[in-house]
Amino acid sequence: MDRKAQETKDAPTATPTADAKEPPQAPRKPKRRRRSTKAHRSLVAADVSAAETAQPPAIEGPPPKELEAKPVAADKASKTGREMIINVSAGEECRIAILHEGRLEELHLERQSAESHVGNIYKGRVTNVEPSIQAAFVDFGLAKNGFLHVSDVQPKYFPNGRNEPENVGKKVPRRDRPPIHKCFHRGQEVIVQITKEGVGTKGPTLTTYLSIPGRYLVMMPGMSRLGVSRKIEDEEERHKMRSILNELSLPEEMGFILRTAGLDRTKRDLQRDLNYLRRLWKIVEDRIRHTRAPAELYQESDLVIRTIRDLSTAEFDRIVVDHEPTAQKAREFMQIAMPRARNVIELYTGPEPIFHRYGIEVEIERINSRHVPLPLGGSLVIESTEAMVTIDVNSGKFRSIDDAEETAFQLNLEAAKEIARQLRLRDLGGLVVCDFIDMRLDRHKRAVERTLRDALKIHKERARILRMSQFGLIEMTRQRQRPSIKRSIYADCPHCRGTGLAKTLETMVLEVIRVLQLATHRPDVAQVTLTVSPNGAVAVLNQRRAALHELEQETGTTIVVKGDPTFGVDHLTHEFRDDRGRIISPDLS
C-alpha cells in the first residue's frame, strides 16, 4: 500500500449529525489533523457553554406580509408542528392556546375573579348529611359548600374503622359501602379535594381520595400499590415501566401512578420526582395537624405551570409568552422539572397582541358561535341546555356526484372529527347527543363511530360513546371539570333571561291590556302605573288609546303608561295605589 492510500485509510471520517446535509470534507494530513481536532473541540465546547447560558431570543416586530394575510398558517413549526402560545394580562387573566400546524386545538382560560380551585386540598367540616341522596355537604372555606358523595369516601371514614389501604384503581364497590349517615355526622372534620368546579347553583364536587401530581408521578395518600396511566396502551411499555416503579423506594400507605410524561424516564428521574412529592406531603400533613377547619392545605399551581407540567413539553417546538415575569417563572420551573427542554420558551415583545398575531382571536370568536362551518361545505349547529348538549350535522352545499350515501358518509366523517375538537375547545361536558346525517350502510355507521371515538381518545377528559341508533343519533357522556369556556366569557342576557327569545311588540301590547283589565276592576285600586319599553309605551298609547279611555271611564281608575329606555321589549312592571296614594299589592290571580 503506498503512502497516499495509507493516509486516506487513517484519516477520520465525518460524523453525521441531525442537521448535516453536506458531504464530509476531504481528509487532512495527520499532523494538521491533531491541531485541527483540538481547535475544533475547543470551539464546540465554547458553543455548548454559550448555548447553555444564553437566553432564548425574543420575538419582536410586526409580522411579515404573508403573516398578516394568513397569520396562523405562516407560523407553522418545523418539527412536530405543536406550539403553546401564552397571553397574560397581569393580575387579570391568563390564556393559553395550543396550536397544531397553525390550527387551534386547545384553549385554556383562567381569570383572577374566577380562579380555578380544582386540585386544591382543604380541611373542611360536615354541615349536613343527606341520606336520601347518599351525600354530605362540607364547608371548606369557599362561598358554596362542597358536595361529597358516598362513592368518594375513603374506607378510613367507614364506621368499622377499616384501616387497610385500597389498591390504586380498585376502590371499594358501591354496594359494599355503608350508608353516608354512618360515615359522617354534622360537625365532623374531613380532608377533601376539589375534583370539579361548581356549575350554576351547584357547589364544587369533593372527594376524600387525595391525589397530588408531580411531573412524572401522581401520589395518592392512603392508597397502596403502583399503577400506570391508562393512556399508555402498549402492554410491553406498561410492563417495562411497572418494573422500574417496583425498584423505587416507596413510602408506606402511598399509591403512585405513572403519568404519560414519565414514559421512558430513568429510575433516577422518577425517584427524584417521588422524593419531591414526599416532601410536599409532609408539609400538608403538618398543616392537617396544626390548622383548624375550614382551611386550605394545598393549592395547585397556576394555569401556566399546571399546563406545562401536565402536557408533554417534549411535543412542543416552542412555548411563546408575552409576559416577562411569567416567562421567567416558566423557565425556572423547566430548569428544575425538564432541564433539557428549557430553551423552548421564547419571549414575545412585538407591538401587536400575541393572540392577534397568531390568528387565535378569530378562532375564539368562532368557538363561541352556535354555527360551525365545515371545510367540505356542511356545518355543525351546537346548542347547550341545562340537561344536555345537542349537535346537529347539516349537509349544506356539499354534494357528492350521484351518491347520497357517499355524501352523507364523507360529511359525517369530517363532522365527527370537528365535534371532538369543538367539545375540547368549548369544554363542553355532561350528556351530548350528536345528530348525524342518515346513512344506510352499517359499515359507514361503524366507521363514523370509530372516528369519533379515536378523536376523543387524545383528550384527558373521559368520554363514553354508545352505538349509533337507527335515527342516526350518537349519545355520549363527557367528563367536565369546570364551567364551559362560553360561561366564562358570556353572561345571560338580562332581557331574554338566557333563552335567546323575546316577546313580540304585539304580544306585549295585548299583555298590557290584560293586566289593566284585571287591575282596574279591583275595588281597592285607584291608580295603575305600568312601565314598559319605549316602543311598547308608544304602541299602547297610540294603538289602544280608545281601550284605555274606556277602562278609565268605566272603573274610575287612573291609568299611567311609562316608557323606560333601559327596559327590553318584553319587560313589564306595574305599581298599584289606593285612593290615599299608598302602594298596595292586590291579588291578580
Side-chain angles (χ1 to χ4, degrees):
M1 181 181 299
D2 57 16
R3 184 174 58 85
K4 291 185 179 180
Q6 181 65 35
E7 289 179 2
T8 303
K9 181 178 179 181
D10 294 339
T13 58
T15 303
T17 63
D19 299 325
K21 296 183 179 179
E22 298 179 1
Q25 297 179 356
R28 300 176 179 177
K29 295 182 180 181
K31 291 182 180 180
R32 296 184 62 188
R33 185 185 70 239
R34 292 191 187 97
R35 292 194 296 270
S36 176
T37 302
K38 186 179 293 185
H40 175 71
R41 288 175 180 171
S42 300
L43 181 60
V44 170
D47 290 343
V48 171
S49 177
E52 289 179 347
T53 58
Q55 292 290 345
I59 303 174
E60 299 180 353
K65 293 182 179 180
E66 62 270 15
L67 191 59
E68 293 177 3
K70 297 179 103 178
V72 174
D75 267 64
K76 287 184 181 179
S78 59
K79 298 177 183 178
T80 64
R82 287 175 63 83
E83 297 171 296
M84 183 186 298
I85 312 299
I86 302 176
N87 169 233
V88 179
S89 299
E92 296 180 5
E93 181 185 59
C94 177
R95 298 186 297 175
I96 300 179
I98 308 299
L99 305 182
H100 178 58
E101 295 183 352
R103 191 184 189 201
L104 183 63
E105 291 293 333
E106 294 181 51
L107 178 66
H108 304 273
L109 183 148
E110 187 171 279
R111 290 178 176 169
Q112 192 69 24
S113 59
E115 187 178 359
S116 174
H117 299 94
V118 173
N120 292 0
I121 299 176
Y122 298 87
K123 187 177 187 179
R125 182 176 286 109
V126 177
T127 60
N128 196 18
V129 179
E130 292 289 347
S132 59
I133 57 176
Q134 286 298 297
F137 291 90
V138 181
D139 175 18
F140 58 95
L142 295 187
K144 295 181 180 178
N145 291 344
F147 176 86
L148 177 61
H149 192 260
V150 69
S151 59
D152 289 314
V153 177
Q154 273 192 330
K156 68 179 182 180
Y157 293 102
F158 291 176
N160 56 9
R162 179 177 174 179
N163 292 322
E164 60 270 17
E166 297 172 285
N167 293 333
V168 172
K170 294 183 180 180
K171 298 196 316 186
V172 175
R174 173 68 180 85
R175 62 179 180 274
D176 296 335
R177 292 174 175 267
I180 189 72
H181 61 274
K182 292 186 178 180
C183 300
F184 297 110
H185 58 81
R186 186 175 297 180
Q188 179 179 348
E189 292 186 347
V190 57
I191 308 302
V192 294
Q193 185 174 30
I194 297 181
T195 59
K196 178 183 175 183
E197 291 281 9
V199 179
T201 58
K202 299 177 182 178
T205 302
L206 307 177
T207 182
T208 60
Y209 289 95
L210 309 182
S211 62
I212 301 179
R215 174 57 185 155
Y216 308 124
L217 300 171
V218 176
M219 180 177 65
M220 305 184 70
M223 305 289 283
S224 65
R225 299 185 61 179
L226 303 169
V228 179
S229 173
R230 295 175 182 174
K231 293 184 179 180
I232 303 177
E233 298 180 348
D234 188 280
E235 286 299 329
E236 185 176 345
E237 290 288 351
R238 293 177 66 88
H239 180 74
K240 173 186 173 183
M241 297 313 296
R242 281 183 183 276
S243 300
I244 296 178
L245 289 175
N246 289 326
E247 298 176 5
L248 301 178
S249 300
L250 301 174
E252 295 182 357
E253 295 189 0
M254 285 283 183
F256 290 89
I257 296 177
L258 179 75
R259 310 183 69 179
T260 52
L263 189 64
D264 295 330
R265 291 293 172 177
T266 63
K267 176 185 173 182
R268 181 181 178 183
D269 292 336
L270 299 181
Q271 187 66 52
R272 186 187 297 115
D273 198 39
L274 188 148
N275 294 338
Y276 160 74
L277 292 173
R278 291 178 63 181
R279 292 194 300 270
L280 189 60
W281 178 244
K282 285 183 179 180
I283 297 174
V284 175
E285 282 185 318
D286 184 67
R287 292 177 180 174
I288 291 175
R289 288 190 296 267
H290 297 95
T291 57
R292 298 179 59 185
E296 183 180 84
L297 305 176
Y298 165 79
Q299 184 179 24
E300 259 282 36
S301 304
D302 61 23
L303 180 62
V304 174
I305 302 302
R306 196 165 63 241
T307 305
I308 294 176
R309 180 197 67 198
D310 293 344
L311 297 177
S312 180
T313 312
E315 296 179 359
F316 291 94
D317 295 331
R318 59 178 180 165
I319 300 175
V320 187
V321 191
D322 66 351
H323 188 237
E324 172 60 34
T326 303
Q328 184 60 33
K329 186 198 303 183
R331 290 193 193 106
E332 292 172 356
F333 173 77
M334 297 280 281
Q335 179 68 33
I336 298 172
M338 296 157 278
R340 297 179 182 177
R342 67 182 184 274
N343 289 328
V344 302
I345 297 178
E346 301 175 1
L347 177 65
Y348 175 79
T349 58
E352 186 179 10
I354 188 171
F355 269 33
H356 281 85
R357 167 164 185 174
Y358 287 88
I360 301 171
E361 292 291 359
V362 177
E363 291 284 344
I364 293 176
E365 289 298 323
R366 288 176 183 170
I367 67 176
N368 293 320
S369 172
R370 63 188 294 267
H371 184 269
V372 181
L374 298 175
L376 289 179
S379 64
L380 303 178
V381 178
I382 303 176
E383 294 281 1
S384 299
T385 65
E386 186 71 20
M388 68 178 72
V389 176
T390 60
I391 303 177
D392 184 36
V393 181
N394 295 323
S395 60
K397 299 179 181 180
F398 176 67
R399 296 291 183 273
S400 182
I401 301 176
D402 299 331
D403 193 342
E405 177 71 14
E406 186 64 22
T407 297
F409 177 56
Q410 293 298 330
L411 195 58
N412 284 340
L413 285 179
E414 185 181 55
K417 298 175 183 177
E418 186 62 26
I419 286 173
R421 176 173 176 262
Q422 291 295 325
L423 290 177
R424 192 172 199 182
L425 283 176
R426 300 169 185 241
D427 202 9
L428 299 174
L431 179 61
V432 182
V433 179
C434 307
D435 183 10
F436 289 92
I437 301 173
D438 292 338
M439 297 178 294
R440 291 181 290 103
L441 301 181
D442 284 342
R443 70 172 185 271
H444 287 169
K445 295 179 180 180
R446 302 293 86 81
V448 172
E449 293 169 6
R450 286 194 303 272
T451 301
L452 181 59
R453 189 174 290 108
D454 292 343
L456 289 169
K457 273 185 180 180
I458 63 175
H459 301 184
K460 68 177 181 179
E461 296 81 8
R462 293 189 300 272
R464 183 173 173 230
I465 306 174
L466 300 183
R467 299 282 293 271
M468 183 180 288
S469 71
Q470 59 182 346
F471 300 112
L473 302 178
I474 290 184
E475 301 171 52
M476 58 180 289
T477 58
R478 186 175 183 271
Q479 184 184 25
R480 177 172 55 193
Q481 296 181 337
R482 59 185 181 272
S484 65
I485 294 290
K486 191 173 184 179
R487 280 293 173 188
S488 301
I489 299 176
Y490 294 95
D492 288 337
C493 172
H495 300 300
C496 70
R497 300 171 184 85
T499 64
L501 299 172
K503 294 179 181 178
T504 63
L505 191 60
E506 182 182 7
T507 302
M508 285 305 301
V509 171
L510 294 173
E511 186 171 332
V512 166
I513 297 300
R514 282 194 289 268
V515 171
L516 290 174
Q517 289 174 341
L518 191 61
T520 54
H521 285 83
R522 292 290 185 271
D524 54 343
V525 176
Q527 179 179 324
V528 179
T529 302
L530 295 181
T531 306
V532 293
S533 66
N535 289 338
V538 170
V540 172
L541 294 175
N542 288 337
Q543 300 176 12
R544 299 289 177 164
R545 179 176 295 275
L548 297 180
H549 179 71
E550 184 179 344
L551 282 174
E552 287 182 322
Q553 293 296 322
E554 182 181 339
T555 62
T557 305
T558 303
I559 299 175
V560 179
V561 179
K562 297 180 179 180
D564 190 328
T566 64
F567 277 31
V569 67
D570 60 351
H571 195 179
L572 167 65
T573 61
H574 42 66
E575 182 183 86
F576 308 105
R577 296 180 180 271
D578 59 13
D579 53 2
R580 294 184 179 181
R582 297 174 300 185
I583 297 177
I584 59 175
S585 301
D587 184 13
L588 299 182
S589 58

